[in-house]
Amino acid sequence: MSKVIVWAVLLCVCLADVPRSIQVVAWTIPAKKLPLPSCASEEIRRTLAKISQPDIQRAKKFIARSKSEWREWAEYARESGADSAKEWAKKYGVTINKKRIEGIDVYELIPRSLSKKMHNRLFVFLHGGGYVFGGGMSGLSEGILIASRTGMRVVAVDYRMPPDYPYPTAVEDVIRVYKVLIHSYAPSAVALGGSSSGGGLVLSVVQQMKKAHLPLPGALFAGSPWADLSKSGDSFYINEGIDRKLVTYDAFLHAAATLYANGRNLKDPAISPLYGDFSGFPPTMLVSGTRDLFLSLTVRVHRKLKAVGSVADLNVYEGLSHVEYFVVSDAPESKDAYGTLKRFLAEHLK
Amino acid sequence: MSKVIVWAVLLCVCLADVPRSIQVVAWTIPAKKLPLPSCASEEIRRTLAKISQPDIQRAKKFIARSKSEWREWAEYARESGADSAKEWAKKYGVTINKKRIEGIDVYELIPRSLSKKMHNRLFVFLHGGGYVFGGGMSGLSEGILIASRTGMRVVAVDYRMPPDYPYPTAVEDVIRVYKVLIHSYAPSAVALGGSSSGGGLVLSVVQQMKKAHLPLPGALFAGSPWADLSKSGDSFYINEGIDRKLVTYDAFLHAAATLYANGRNLKDPAISPLYGDFSGFPPTMLVSGTRDLFLSLTVRVHRKLKAVGSVADLNVYEGLSHVEYFVVSDAPESKDAYGTLKRFLAEHLK
């Protein structure tokens, strides 16, 4: 073994530090085998063993071609998803009451196991679905898990969405509801949270609350937040074709981002809160997974929160794709994630 | 767009939930382009633009074929690395004093900016290098940064390593030094930390301290810890050929693991502390990156610590390969990581 070769393993096996004159803009990563995640739970491995491998080319076909096609999709998803929400409500012992606050539809989710300790606390839940799906009851699934596993009363805001209501309607709807709710609850006793676009919306809403000098919630939950609507960050590339839920940015996500942005640049802080101001943010819990297309978004939000000195609790699960911590709801990872949330809220809500 | 197609995008764009009768053991991820991490710092992007893409086949050639070849490598690395440590010491204003404690070589690292607030506190540093490299002064680079950026006095333990001293010598050496140091410092005022194999060794040492009923350190730092010496976890596959520092498990890492294990199963908790007992662990800060081959190890250790109720602070940096937070020492990510460490230690050391 020559000394020249040995030199290359110095400083913790630096194998690739050979300077080159040509500036490499992108690397070509060769095809590779990815086994089931042997260190994820049996439930996750069993779920993955049953499904087809994510198909990037097939995923790229899922783009609506007109506003009416978006409406048709969203409406169909809304109807089919409602049944599944009802099943989850039954399974997890949660009662759903539809209400209206300031003209906005909301769903009150009351767990059978309503915690006495949490009786004067409230979780305001914002569903995901790329700012297109998750309307009506179809967006309630994660909210139901949160109610059941934290023992808290949840109000899920059925904020209006594109194609008919692009930015800023969703942000405004949530704030209108919040302003009414804080007549009944101390803001410091209110948690605001959601996953995916729901998590991104949480961040946008808090940035808007700050501008409007509203009292902020006591704690936030941003699960795999869609905090930057542009294709930026390693995980959009590294986990393409690996994340079984989102698969790729280059289809539905890009189209949905464009629809919500309604002409704005996708890096505009108004719609991509990662570029906005995080100063004074309440304690925030974040969740992602090693296969998540939004892993980079999650860790970038985490660093923004740390940079301003906020309490920020990053949780990354081995083997999980985007929002799989609530989709595979009986996996130990799911119980662990919402157990962690329960402890986080018990610590930070006052 | 047919309703059958729409069905597939329900519940946050679940594109791949089609059950199949055949159990898929591994997916084949197609070749892909990976651009420079546009959201990492300019320093990181500039560094990456200058180097060759990691070459998996080339990396697989870096295996010593005999104990004498390991010795030759380690000796050469030890000599060359010492010069670079001296340069860093000068650059970062740190004085190096070689000492012996209970027959073990240690290096005392005294920062010019020794913090008055931290004068009765001590950082015990364990270098990385796969349990083969980093001997003598060559392993001091991260310790120098820690001294300089936390303002703390650092004692770096030059624990003995394979091929001549496989497990358990490294663990025993560190504990012997620690037992002497806690005559001068309250254990609660001592931090124990290091990266890579140094981070894994931190965890092994604390598990051994618990068995020996020794008072535990007040806080731990485990940077991208080599906590499981087997090839387990998503990032060993997903980030193969993407992590520019480690590149692949299937060469140096596997060989070094086998050398250190000295006949033990690679999942034996004695050498792979991920499988050991984390109950009662002190507050622990963890660091990784989205390109890190050890990302899965880092997040798995984080969950073990959370599961036993320990304070565990996970930090994942966008675009960083294994231990790049100390290798590219002037990047904002590096300053941020050790700034975070400084605050973490100020909070938890008593």
Side-chain angles (χ1 to χ4, degrees), chain B residues 241-291:
Chain B
I242 291 176
D243 182 325
R244 74 180 185 98
K245 306 306 292 177
L246 294 174
V247 188
T248 179
Y249 176 84
D250 303 333
F252 170 74
L253 286 175
H254 179 68
T258 308
L259 202 65
Y260 179 66
N262 197 27
R264 284 177 187 256
N265 185 298
L266 295 186
K267 288 193 192 292
D268 184 328
I271 54 169
S272 287
L274 229 164
Y275 302 103
D277 178 17
F278 284 89
S279 61
F281 254 58
T284 303
M285 176 177 154
L286 300 151
V287 185
S288 186
T290 55
R291 300 187 173 205

Side-chain angles (χ1 to χ4, degrees), chain B residues 181-237:
Chain B
L181 292 171
I182 57 174
H183 290 151
S184 312
Y185 292 88
S188 62
V190 174
L192 179 67
S195 288
S196 197
S197 53
L201 186 54
V202 163
L203 307 177
S204 289
V205 162
V206 173
Q207 288 175 355
Q208 184 54 39
M209 284 173 174
K210 281 167 50 187
K211 283 185 193 157
H213 303 291
L214 286 170
L216 302 184
L220 308 178
F221 168 70
S224 193
W226 202 16
D228 178 353
L229 302 194
S230 72
K231 186 179 181 179
S232 60
D234 265 354
S235 60
F236 283 108
Y237 300 89

Side-chain angles (χ1 to χ4, degrees), chain B residues 78-113:
Chain B
R78 188 184 167 99
E79 284 168 21
S80 332
D83 292 339
S84 127
K86 282 175 203 159
E87 278 169 36
W88 277 39
K90 199 172 163 191
K91 176 175 175 183
Y92 292 107
V94 172
T95 306
I96 303 175
N97 303 318
K98 189 172 177 181
K99 298 193 170 183
R100 276 179 87 81
I101 296 180
E102 288 278 307
I104 315 290
D105 287 338
V106 303
Y107 295 90
E108 193 183 38
L109 310 175
I110 314 288
R112 195 186 299 139
S113 57

Side-chain angles (χ1 to χ4, degrees), chain B residues 30-52:
Chain B
K32 55 181 73 174
K33 291 278 180 193
L34 177 64
L36 290 178
S38 63
C39 304
S41 69
E42 201 190 318
E43 286 83 346
I44 293 294
R45 281 180 283 124
R46 223 185 308 136
T47 303
L48 291 178
K50 273 189 219 150
I51 63 162
S52 320

Side-chain angles (χ1 to χ4, degrees), chain A residues 1 13 17 20 27-29 32 34 50 53 73 234 238 244-245 291 296 306 313 318, chain B residues 1 13 17 20 27-29 32 34 50 53 73 234 238 240 244-245 291 296 306 313 318:
Chain A
M1 200 59 55
V13 209
D17 278 351
R20 279 208 334 188
W27 293 345
T28 302
I29 309 303
K32 55 179 73 172
L34 177 64
K50 274 189 218 148
Q53 175 176 344
W73 277 43
D234 266 353
I238 293 176
R244 74 179 186 100
K245 306 305 293 176
R291 299 185 174 206
S296 289
K306 286 275 212 181
D313 183 38
E318 170 65 7
Chain B
M1 203 52 62
V13 208
D17 279 350
R20 276 201 346 179
W27 293 344
T28 301
I29 309 303
K32 55 181 73 174
L34 177 64
K50 273 189 219 150
Q53 174 175 345
W73 277 43
D234 265 354
I238 294 176
E240 183 177 61
R244 74 180 185 98
K245 306 306 292 177
R291 300 187 173 205
S296 288
K306 286 274 212 182
D313 183 38
E318 170 66 9

Side-chain angles (χ1 to χ4, degrees), chain A residues 120-169:
Chain A
N120 57 353
R121 293 172 190 179
L122 180 72
F123 194 104
V124 178
F125 171 71
L126 310 181
H127 67 78
Y131 293 116
V132 182
F133 299 115
M137 287 181 66
S138 76
L140 296 184
S141 49
E142 190 187 15
I144 289 166
L145 278 187
I146 290 171
S148 169
R149 291 190 176 152
T150 66
M152 282 174 79
R153 185 185 305 264
V154 170
V155 170
V157 185
D158 190 12
Y159 55 85
R160 288 169 294 167
M161 294 188 290
D164 297 314
Y165 299 98
Y167 175 86
T169 306

